[in-house]
Amino acid sequence: MHRRSSRASWLRALTLSSFAVGGMLVAAPVHAAETSEAPATILDVSMQDGELTARIRWAAEPKSLPEEVEVLSYDGTDKLTAGERLSPKAGEETEVKLSGAVQEPWETGWAQRLVVREPKGRELASQPYDVSLDCEDEKTCELKAAPGISASREVLHVSNALQETLAVIEKEQDGKAFDLVHEVARREPSLFGQALTHAQGLIKYGPAEGCRCTWEASYARSNTQGTSLGAAHDVFARPLATNRPSRALLTAQGTSQMTLSLHCTSLASIHFQPVGIKQSGGRVKPVLLPQPVYSTCAGTCSGRYTHFGRITGAVSAISTNNPFLDGSATEQSKYHLGNALSPLLNAADSAPNDTTFIHAITAFNVSTGSGFVQTSGEASYNYNGNSSMGVPRGRAQGGYAMAVQGTAVCPGGGLNPSGRAWDVATTMDNETFLRDGINSFFDSL
């Protein structure tokens, strides 16, 4: 959908409740009686001892948990590859290994997916993850996995570190041909495996003749809670023992960034190198992986972007006027585009009053494919050790959804005209709502 680029036309809210501010629609806050906790939160995805391993936190309230769940993995073709059944325990974390979940991703796709669901089929949590190579030298590598974002199948997934390194190399080469894998490894040896992975995808989706462009999605998540949730967090301050006085102030900050971009190259040649890839059980599988020599090219494709952003937060607390029985929480979230200093969305709330906010916005026909969310949460309590007066607590939670569609015009052809990428993370029981917002956004374009 093409819109004129005036501020009034390229900003629009997608929300059921809204009010006008300066000619722009923004979402109104939604109030709730108490914080709703996600039944399951996927804290991290990795490869350990050659097997896909997930770390999952279960809701503190047993009534929100089913007796049994399935943890399932799907490869890049959305084929089920492995699964485990387990019984969740309220308030605890579980580490689950999925034997055989990752097999030959150079054939089935490096971008894969993990799902936690009830046996009847309802999804409790979902996390995309990216598989790549971790190489001890140029001849031997092993598979690794890390949480990622979702994207349409023709979009290549690239880490921020690899994208930044490639940008430096391409600027230095200034249009001259270079060996992608060799040049990356020479500057950043730790990225050798990622470069091999990227090269394989580049050859698969980038035709070998002329100046051709591919869609690339890069992303980064960071937070102070030691999880892979990025800007999503759960800060829960409460006494661990109710028979003695205590107090605590807990904080969390996080950022999630996502960028969709066009990358245009002219392929000079390809050579293949055999690489031994370690498999589970100690086997080593020899695989021929491409190492392209290419130069960057410009002017073939131009792209414009449409973004969707939604931020959601919740604060709750138990507090009284007694200075020894006190709980409080605050939550702030911002959504930006590109390098803009002023956020498109900026929301904050505080407790002791339990409150939930949800804000959403859409930006049409912009030149940048980058968006990011920043959040900050704080929760505290002060307890006198007498549970007969009540037990204080404070809780702050943050979540978000981001999506971007790029539309390209390429006179030379060779590119899917649209690319899509999206990212969701939350600790609240609203993941389905956030994903439905993204689906509605794409359906409207």
Side-chain angles (χ1 to χ4, degrees):
M1 180 181 293
H2 297 283
R3 303 279 178 119
R4 285 178 293 183
S5 59
S6 67
R7 183 173 179 82
S9 66
W10 66 266
L11 293 174
R12 184 184 69 181
L14 294 180
T15 180
L16 296 177
S17 176
S18 62
F19 58 94
V21 176
M24 177 178 67
L25 288 177
V26 296
V30 177
H31 298 275
E34 64 179 65
T35 302
S36 180
E37 185 179 11
T41 302
I42 301 172
L43 301 176
D44 197 20
V45 181
S46 62
M47 294 290 287
Q48 296 184 19
D49 302 321
E51 301 291 2
L52 185 71
T53 304
R55 186 159 58 96
I56 305 167
R57 184 176 63 214
W58 308 106
E61 290 295 330
K63 63 182 180 181
S64 65
L65 291 174
E67 292 184 0
E68 190 177 60
V69 301
E70 298 173 322
V71 183
L72 308 170
S73 63
Y74 296 84
D75 65 18
T77 66
D78 217 29
K79 176 184 176 182
L80 178 66
T81 57
E84 291 287 340
R85 287 196 174 192
L86 52 89
S87 298
K89 295 182 179 180
E92 296 188 5
E93 290 185 12
T94 299
E95 187 175 273
V96 56
K97 290 184 181 293
L98 299 176
S99 179
V102 180
Q103 296 182 5
E104 301 187 351
W106 49 91
E107 298 289 345
T108 61
W110 300 97
Q112 309 198 5
R113 185 167 61 100
L114 186 76
V115 173
V116 180
R117 76 179 188 192
E118 294 178 325
K120 292 182 179 180
R122 182 173 75 101
E123 283 194 10
L124 303 180
S126 178
Q127 176 60 62
Y129 64 91
D130 289 329
V131 181
S132 61
L133 297 175
D134 187 18
C135 302
E136 56 189 58
D137 53 42
E138 292 189 1
K139 299 293 185 181
T140 307
C141 304
E142 61 184 0
L143 296 170
K144 70 174 184 178
I149 60 173
S150 300
S152 46
R153 193 161 294 175
E154 71 281 357
V155 176
L156 300 182
H157 296 225
V158 188
S159 72
N160 272 16
L162 179 58
Q163 188 183 60
E164 290 169 2
T165 299
L166 284 172
V168 171
I169 294 171
E170 290 172 356
K171 185 176 181 180
E172 289 178 355
Q173 296 298 324
D174 193 24
K176 294 183 292 185
F178 64 92
D179 185 316
L180 183 158
V181 177
H182 173 78
E183 288 298 324
V184 169
R186 187 168 68 86
R187 288 166 172 79
E188 296 289 344
S190 63
L191 296 178
F192 175 72
Q194 287 190 42
L196 283 174
T197 304
H198 181 60
Q200 198 262 350
L202 192 66
I203 297 305
K204 183 175 181 179
Y205 290 105
E209 296 180 1
C211 183
R212 304 289 174 159
C213 302
T214 54
W215 291 108
E216 293 184 358
S218 61
Y219 52 91
R221 288 179 173 184
S222 63
N223 65 32
T224 58
Q225 286 198 307
T227 72
S228 64
L229 296 174
H233 60 253
D234 186 356
V235 185
F236 198 177
R238 64 199 187 279
L240 299 179
T242 59
N243 60 353
R244 63 175 183 266
S246 60
R247 65 175 61 189
L249 171 62
L250 304 179
T251 62
Q253 290 82 41
T255 302
S256 292
Q257 181 179 357
M258 179 180 69
T259 301
L260 181 67
S261 59
L262 285 173
H263 187 218
C264 301
T265 60
S266 179
L267 188 65
S269 63
I270 309 173
H271 60 96
F272 291 83
Q273 177 171 323
V275 177
I277 300 178
K278 295 179 181 178
Q279 310 286 290
S280 59
R283 295 182 300 113
V284 177
K285 184 179 182 65
V287 178
L288 277 177
L289 290 177
Q291 296 194 17
V293 176
Y294 72 74
S295 59
T296 56
C297 49
T300 303
C301 295
S302 59
R304 302 292 291 181
Y305 301 90
T306 300
H307 294 259
F308 169 75
R310 173 167 274 151
I311 55 176
T312 178
V315 289
S316 61
I318 293 176
S319 184
T320 71
N321 292 325
N322 188 322
F324 300 105
L325 178 56
D326 178 53
S328 187
T330 62
E331 178 69 32
Q332 183 170 29
S333 182
K334 300 178 181 181
Y335 169 69
H336 299 249
L337 286 187
N339 296 318
L341 297 178
S342 298
L344 295 185
L345 296 176
N346 186 357
D349 259 322
S350 61
N353 293 325
D354 293 358
T355 307
T356 299
F357 65 76
I358 302 170
H359 294 268
I361 201 165
T362 301
F364 288 96
N365 192 31
V366 296
S367 60
T368 178
S370 179
F372 66 99
V373 174
Q374 296 173 305
T375 58
S376 176
E378 179 180 291
S380 66
Y381 74 88
N382 187 13
Y383 180 49
N384 66 357
N386 184 358
S387 60
S388 65
M389 299 176 61
V391 179
R393 60 152 172 87
R395 190 171 202 172
Q397 294 169 277
Y400 67 90
M402 292 187 290
V404 57
Q405 174 167 298
T407 303
V409 177
C410 299
L415 173 76
N416 190 310
S418 293
R420 292 176 170 180
W422 62 98
D423 186 22
V424 175
T426 182
T427 60
M428 294 170 274
D429 193 14
N430 61 357
E431 183 172 328
T432 299
F433 166 75
L434 293 174
R435 292 186 185 280
D436 286 349
I438 290 175
N439 292 337
S440 296
F441 162 69
F442 285 136
D443 288 344
S444 70
L445 298 179

